[in-house]
Amino acid sequence: MVDMPPTNNGCSYNAFLPDSVATVAATGDGALRSLGFAVKDLIDVAGQITGGGNPDWLAAHMPAVRHAPAVSKLLNAGAQVIGKTITDELAFSLEGANRHYGTPRNPRNVRWLPGGSSSGSAVAVAAGLADFALGTDTGGSVRVPAAFCGIFGFRPTHGAVSLEGVLPFAPSYDTLGWFARDAQTLQEVGSVLLPPQNSQPITRICAATDLLSHVKSGVASDMECSSARIATHAPVDMLDEFSLQDVQEVYAIIQGYDIKRALGAHLSAIKPRFAADIAARFDSALCTEEDAYNAACKQRTALTHYMANICPPDTALILPCVSQRHLLRIASTEEIGHFYGVTLGLTAFAGHWGAPQVQMGGAASGEGVGVSLLGAPGRDRALLNLAVKLSTHLEEMQ
């Protein structure tokens, strides 16, 4: 349980929006009683403007009339909102940087970026300022900061949690996810937000070992160590029919066209001033052609059929969701580009398939990124149950 509201914008962590006053008392008494949660600045809290991490976007909009349904469900379950958190501008980043409000500081190491775009939410949880936090995940915006900040993060099955009251980014990939410091809290939040699902347990755990040649040695070591402890069946190959570059490029094209349809008119009307790198990404997305999009959709369909074959409902796959253990705040443009080129391919498997993925943190200190598990669509509750079981097992083995 945390005190509310956070003071001094989360002390020295810069997790919350400046002068955040988005505190809301619980409306019920349920499974999440007395817990405090933070809300990413893409998600509506009644009476607050959803600013998307950009002051011009903030100025062009009015306060939300009602809470996003996900926020209402959590309040009804006994939790209380303690503040709105900083996000990368309109969610178009995996780094966690924001030139307008400042970059949240990674509690594991202040020299590292926190990961984005749900940067403030991840930092608020990692720093102990919130018991859990809401974020959004399109191309890794919950999973990446969870890995970088050493906490637990969950991307649900596409469509499992309502996106009403959430600023759209790339709707065919957008999900509303959440962070916690432990698997039990992650699961308890899921029990409130997720629909009823098949409760049969996941009994097979397989490592996607062919992906490890694409990540840096530290991440490969983390995955190998975890696999040795928890894998129950032989490894599988994720790249038999598609290269990692194919997976990433298909994602980039579909995301770009989605952004064009969802945000293009708003961007033209508002003309928000973005950081140079964010502006370049939006310019590129708005140039995505329909023919390229249609071809990418066909490739996405083929990829999802392949994924369904190697990851049936009783199976979870061990795979990395980041290509390196951390990214320095002073990383060069070349280093950031390499990080994106690989990481977006890794995170896109869940996105293309609309599948749930849980990132099981890492040590609170140190550099390890823990382990990530991908399940079949609709197996969210089973995947969270497995995370609780495996978290206990991994702790006992340390």
Side-chain angles (χ1 to χ4, degrees):
M1 176 179 174
V2 297
D3 296 327
M4 66 173 293
T7 58
N8 191 25
N9 193 25
C11 302
S12 60
Y13 295 107
N14 198 45
F16 294 89
L17 289 169
D19 303 317
S20 176
V21 292
T23 55
V24 184
T27 56
D29 183 22
L32 304 178
R33 66 179 60 86
S34 300
L35 297 185
F37 71 102
V39 181
K40 183 179 183 178
D41 191 27
L42 261 67
I43 303 167
D44 285 352
V45 172
Q48 302 296 315
I49 301 175
T50 299
N54 180 275
D56 292 335
W57 191 274
L58 178 81
H61 289 84
M62 299 295 290
V65 175
R66 61 184 64 87
H67 301 310
V71 173
S72 293
K73 285 186 176 183
L74 296 169
L75 292 170
N76 289 339
Q80 52 193 345
V81 174
I82 64 169
K84 295 288 290 282
T85 55
I86 292 173
T87 172
D88 300 34
E89 295 181 74
L90 299 191
F92 212 165
S93 172
L94 291 178
E95 298 135 74
N98 187 302
R99 79 165 189 181
H100 305 288
Y101 302 123
T103 298
R105 298 178 182 88
N106 191 329
R108 297 179 87 188
N109 190 318
V110 295
R111 297 184 299 111
W112 302 347
L113 285 165
S117 63
S118 306
S119 52
S121 288
V123 167
V125 170
L129 305 174
D131 295 303
F132 66 94
L134 295 181
T136 62
D137 189 307
T138 302
S141 289
V142 166
R143 293 163 287 167
V144 170
F148 277 5
C149 291
I151 57 176
F152 288 73
F154 186 68
R155 173 202 167 93
T157 293
H158 190 262
V161 178
S162 173
L163 287 172
E164 182 184 344
V166 179
L167 198 160
F169 177 55
S172 66
Y173 292 112
D174 289 349
T175 64
L176 189 154
W178 54 95
F179 301 93
R181 286 186 298 280
D182 59 88
Q184 187 67 47
T185 303
L186 201 74
Q187 179 197 51
E188 289 170 354
V189 175
S191 72
V192 172
L193 293 179
L194 292 166
Q197 295 173 328
N198 177 1
S199 60
Q200 292 297 313
I202 291 171
T203 56
R204 300 175 72 252
I205 305 173
C206 308
T209 52
D210 61 338
L211 294 176
L212 300 188
S213 63
H214 295 270
V215 302
K216 291 195 174 181
S217 59
V219 174
S221 176
D222 293 338
M223 296 302 110
E224 289 168 348
C225 181
S226 296
S227 298
R229 295 175 175 179
I230 65 176
T232 62
H233 288 69
V236 299
D237 289 333
M238 302 282 280
L239 303 175
D240 270 356
E241 298 184 14
F242 303 88
S243 71
L244 193 62
Q245 184 176 358
D246 290 336
V247 175
Q248 186 271 332
E249 289 179 351
V250 168
Y251 172 82
I253 292 168
I254 296 176
Q255 175 191 250
Y257 198 73
D258 264 9
I259 292 169
K260 183 177 181 179
R261 290 189 296 187
L263 293 175
H266 299 288
L267 294 174
S268 295
I270 297 171
K271 295 181 172 56
R273 290 163 291 180
F274 292 120
D277 54 346
I278 303 294
R281 290 169 196 166
F282 275 113
D283 288 344
S284 177
L286 296 177
C287 292
T288 307
E289 299 290 341
E290 186 173 3
D291 287 348
Y293 168 75
N294 290 333
C297 286
K298 291 180 180 179
Q299 289 182 283
R300 179 183 182 180
T301 298
L303 176 62
T304 60
H305 288 161
Y306 179 71
M307 292 293 298
N309 287 329
I310 64 172
C311 188
D314 66 346
T315 300
L317 301 181
I318 302 170
L319 70 164
C321 69
V322 289
S323 58
Q324 56 198 75
R325 283 175 163 177
H326 58 260
L327 193 62
L328 291 174
R329 293 171 74 100
I330 59 170
S332 67
T333 301
E334 181 181 12
E335 290 171 321
I336 291 173
H338 179 75
F339 165 75
Y340 270 92
V342 180
T343 297
L344 276 176
L346 298 172
T347 59
F349 286 106
H352 287 318
W353 199 20
Q357 189 169 4
V358 59
Q359 168 61 33
M360 297 175 61
S365 59
E367 296 191 355
V369 293
V371 62
S372 177
L373 296 171
L374 176 74
R379 300 294 281 142
D380 307 61
R381 289 177 180 265
L383 193 62
L384 288 171
N385 291 343
L386 179 64
V388 172
K389 177 181 176 182
L390 294 179
S391 178
T392 301
H393 177 64
L394 290 170
E395 288 176 2
E396 290 173 348
M397 294 185 68
Q398 287 180 352

